[in-house]
Amino acid sequence: MGSIDTSTRAESGSDPIPTPNGTANGLHAGEDSIQTPAVDSTGASAENESLRKRRGSGVLPLEVGTRVMCRWRDGKYHPVKVIERRKFPCGGVNDYEYYVHYTEFNRRLDEWVKLEQLDLNSVETVVDEKVEDKVTSLKMTRHQKRKIDETHVEGHEELDAASLREHEEFTKVKNIATIELGRYEIETWYFSPFPPEYNDCSKLFFCEFCLNFMKRKEQLQRHMRKCDLKHPPGDEIYRSGTLSMFEVDGKKNKVYGQNLCYLAKLFLDHKTLYYDVDLFLFYVLCECDDRGCHMVGYFSKEKHSEESYNLACILTLPPYQRKGYGKFLIAFSYELSKKEGKVGTPERPLSDLGMLSYRGYWTRVLLDILKKHKGNISIKELSDMTAIKAEDILSTLQGLELIQYRKGQHVICADPKVLDRHLKAAGRGGLEVDVSKLIWTPYKEQN
């Protein structure tokens, strides 16, 4: 079991695993094909010579940085880059396994593979990475280059180049491959900074109620016989049918808060910061049955935010994704803001997919009101009704081209047919929050 005094803060990362035929991070190929100037044949041959590429099976063991084709779980070969390698105990000179990054997909799919999964005829070892970058940039379309840049820094906008390199180096290899949580065994997506004594564990076992984690199944079984919790260690503030929401104070339940952050970081890549859980409230969503209340996701929130942030981090665990829980958590954060009598906004920066989720929520809420409202309505009135920050309302309506600037002020243009079209494009709203079932008073510092 474990936790330490610092933990990991991350934000909005409940996006689905990309499929082999798709692209990661919501990017789509072929949107733009403006070609950059071609390289003349003399220059190209000189560049190729300076790359000094070696091909074939005579390069074993493969070096870190090698590019090669790898057989993925779909049975097809995909391009990868070798991130790390490790030798099998008592193995021969070439008995290595390799940690690879699938260059077409998000980092969450990085994994250890065996030599037989690699097509050694496709091995491409680049000695001079700077020359490779130069040649590659000449061959790429401008849109492709932009996509790679966006993917590279996605979710790390707060980091400078040196800090980003340090972050990527520190987190490049997943330290925990799988976890067991309740009745689910879950493949992890990213590195999480567990205490050093867990560095040699490929699998961790979590108590689904107190979130203590252990190295072995037998330890978990012994723990479960003694653990008297059947729900998160906080106040139940919402119960509707089988859904329940608990508010957990990070100061009162420090170990739980830290363990929740360790767990969440396994599925969240971006916004890696360390913080004191004392300053946060955690809102843990559960499915309830006769065995207890089982966590499906959560969001965290600062107790006091000068920037009007009503959500710091949000996650739906992989087994429960695509069921509307992420949208429910966003809606719940705004219901709390309404109870507080404040406007709210998610903490920035948002990832691309985080922004997509919020744009969808803001669009549905605002257009529902505009469809039903008779007469004129201002941005301020919309903000008061929804607890959505005025800047978020303005940017959403501008993005939908529903705002015009007339005589020095913004005017909302609400044609019913246009509203219906945008509502349909925004998709379903997910599970609704039954406000009558919310029993909650805003946080006040205890003396």
Side-chain angles (χ1 to χ4, degrees), residues 255-272:
V255 172
Y256 181 90
Q258 291 168 345
N259 290 344
L260 178 56
C261 291
Y262 283 130
L263 172 65
K265 183 61 189 71
L266 292 168
F267 306 101
L268 299 168
D269 183 29
H270 46 80
K271 199 172 175 57
T272 308

Side-chain angles (χ1 to χ4, degrees), residues 136 207 263 314 377:
T136 303
C207 170
L263 172 65
I314 182 172
I377 189 169

